[in-house]
Amino acid sequence: MTAGLQLGVIGSLALSVASSVAIVICNKALISTLGFPFATTLTSWHLMVTYCTLHVAQRLHFFEPKAIDGHTVILFGFLNGTSIGLLNLSLGFNSIGFYQMTKLAIIPFTVLLETIFLNKRFSETIKLSLMVLLLGVGIASVTDLELNLLGSVLSGLAIATTCVGQILTNTIQKKLKVSSTQLLYQSAPYQAAILFATGPFVDQLLTNRSVFAHKYTTPVVGFIILSCLIAVSVNFSTFLVIGTTSPVTYQVLGHLKTCLVLSFGYTLLHDPFTMKNILGILVAIFGMALYSFFSVRESKKKSTNDALPVSQQ
């Protein structure tokens, strides 16, 4: 891996973490403090603003759009939009603990799908580091595991659509040789469309309140605009990270964000925090360090082998 590519990967990871933590802080204020609980509808606005921003950037020649097969981009857009809606429904019909387990299950299912359908091989050391990571996040964030049939079905569908969507994000970029910006520009309208159509229904189902009847005060509108602007960076960095690394690495990064958000909630917002949370975060960070170390080592080994003459290999 060249130095330029390494810096690009590090930059995309840092942008993803910073923007994701920022949007969590903004949305926490919007939902908890200002009483705007319509998360699915808000996500549709995020995607529409992202598309409009990219359209302006394209018109100003910051990047060149690239045509992608219509069926591919429509299927991809609707799949990603559906996965967001299902994750929100899963949270609404399950306990917090079971929802956290749903998010944890995305990593092993992604590994399983990539192994079966893409013939990708994960070393024992990578698998071990992922197990340590999942154990730590589970200790830190899982509180209870109340089960119900509808919630379990929704969680299963959320896991499946999220895994497939993230694998497709990586596969489409590499197979069709499109950048993360080009793919996001093409797919964002379809993701926004499905959430814009279903968001108010999903939100009313979860909150028993209508997004159209909400009182939009100046602070609420201000935080919605801020959330949408930060979301442009979140959406861009998500596609960038998955395209330059892998869906599994993106999920590992997601759990790092979970630990940072938990730590932020304790230090600045004085959320309830126990030794169990601290232990879980430390174990998760150790797992992330192991995953990073083994991933870099295997990447360097692969680069060395690729550079050797066939006789030496």
Side-chain angles (χ1 to χ4, degrees), residues 1-312:
M1 187 182 288
T2 64
L5 182 57
Q6 283 181 329
L7 286 175
V9 171
I10 292 171
S12 64
L13 295 174
L15 177 63
S16 180
V17 171
S19 58
S20 294
V21 173
I23 203 167
V24 166
I25 296 169
C26 179
N27 288 350
K28 185 177 179 64
L30 185 59
I31 293 171
S32 301
T33 306
L34 299 175
F36 185 85
F38 310 108
T40 309
T41 304
L42 180 63
T43 304
S44 72
W45 297 344
H46 288 169
L47 287 161
M48 284 191 289
V49 171
T50 298
Y51 172 73
C52 292
T53 303
L54 289 177
H55 184 68
V56 171
Q58 180 265 320
R59 299 288 291 180
L60 295 174
H61 305 291
F62 283 105
F63 72 94
E64 288 296 324
K66 186 172 182 179
I68 304 175
D69 174 65
H71 289 90
T72 299
V73 76
I74 291 173
L75 174 64
F76 174 75
F78 277 101
L79 181 66
N80 276 278
T82 302
S83 74
I84 295 171
L86 286 170
L87 280 170
N88 284 337
L89 280 173
S90 174
L91 177 58
F93 285 92
N94 289 304
S95 65
I96 296 295
F98 194 78
Y99 175 72
Q100 291 296 337
M101 288 300 297
T102 298
K103 293 176 69 176
L104 289 178
I106 291 173
I107 285 185
F109 271 93
T110 301
V111 170
L112 179 64
L113 290 176
E114 288 194 318
T115 301
I116 294 173
F117 295 105
L118 300 180
N119 294 319
K120 190 171 181 179
R121 295 290 175 262
F122 295 87
S123 66
E124 295 303 317
T125 51
I126 289 292
K127 291 177 183 176
L128 175 63
S129 63
L130 290 175
M131 287 177 61
V132 174
L133 165 67
L134 294 177
L135 175 64
V137 177
I139 293 172
S141 62
V142 175
T143 52
D144 59 280
L145 289 174
E146 297 176 9
L147 300 177
N148 67 82
L149 180 60
L150 178 59
S152 299
V153 170
L154 289 172
S155 291
L157 291 173
I159 291 168
T161 53
T162 301
C163 291
V164 174
Q166 290 179 0
I167 291 172
L168 281 178
T169 302
N170 181 271
T171 304
I172 290 173
Q173 289 186 59
K174 291 183 176 176
K175 289 245 176 132
L176 301 184
K177 299 190 184 323
V178 296
S179 70
S180 55
T181 309
Q182 291 167 331
L183 179 58
L184 180 58
Y185 178 61
Q186 294 284 347
S187 63
Y190 301 103
Q191 296 183 59
I194 189 168
L195 290 177
F196 190 74
T198 62
F201 168 75
V202 171
D203 287 335
Q204 183 148 12
L205 193 65
L206 298 178
T207 65
N208 292 320
R209 293 166 59 185
S210 172
V211 67
F212 303 110
H214 188 78
K215 185 178 180 181
Y216 289 88
T217 61
T218 301
V220 169
V221 173
F223 271 89
I224 288 174
I225 293 172
L226 178 61
S227 179
C228 288
L229 293 176
I230 299 173
V232 175
S233 179
V234 173
N235 291 326
F236 173 73
S237 62
T238 295
F239 278 61
L240 189 61
V241 168
I242 296 176
T244 55
T245 57
S246 71
V248 173
T249 299
Y250 175 72
Q251 285 300 324
V252 170
L253 190 68
H255 292 308
L256 170 60
K257 298 169 192 174
T258 299
C259 292
L260 289 174
V261 169
L262 287 172
S263 302
F264 166 80
Y266 172 66
T267 54
L268 297 183
L269 302 180
H270 305 293
D271 289 344
F273 214 66
T274 64
M275 285 303 298
K276 175 175 168 284
N277 299 126
I278 297 173
L279 175 63
I281 289 174
L282 292 176
V283 172
I285 291 173
F286 179 63
M288 291 173 208
L290 286 178
Y291 177 81
S292 301
F293 173 76
F294 291 131
S295 294
V296 170
R297 190 177 70 174
E298 291 181 13
S299 178
K300 287 182 178 178
K301 185 178 179 181
K302 183 177 182 298
S303 298
T304 302
N305 288 339
D306 289 344
L308 287 174
V310 175
S311 59
Q312 288 183 309

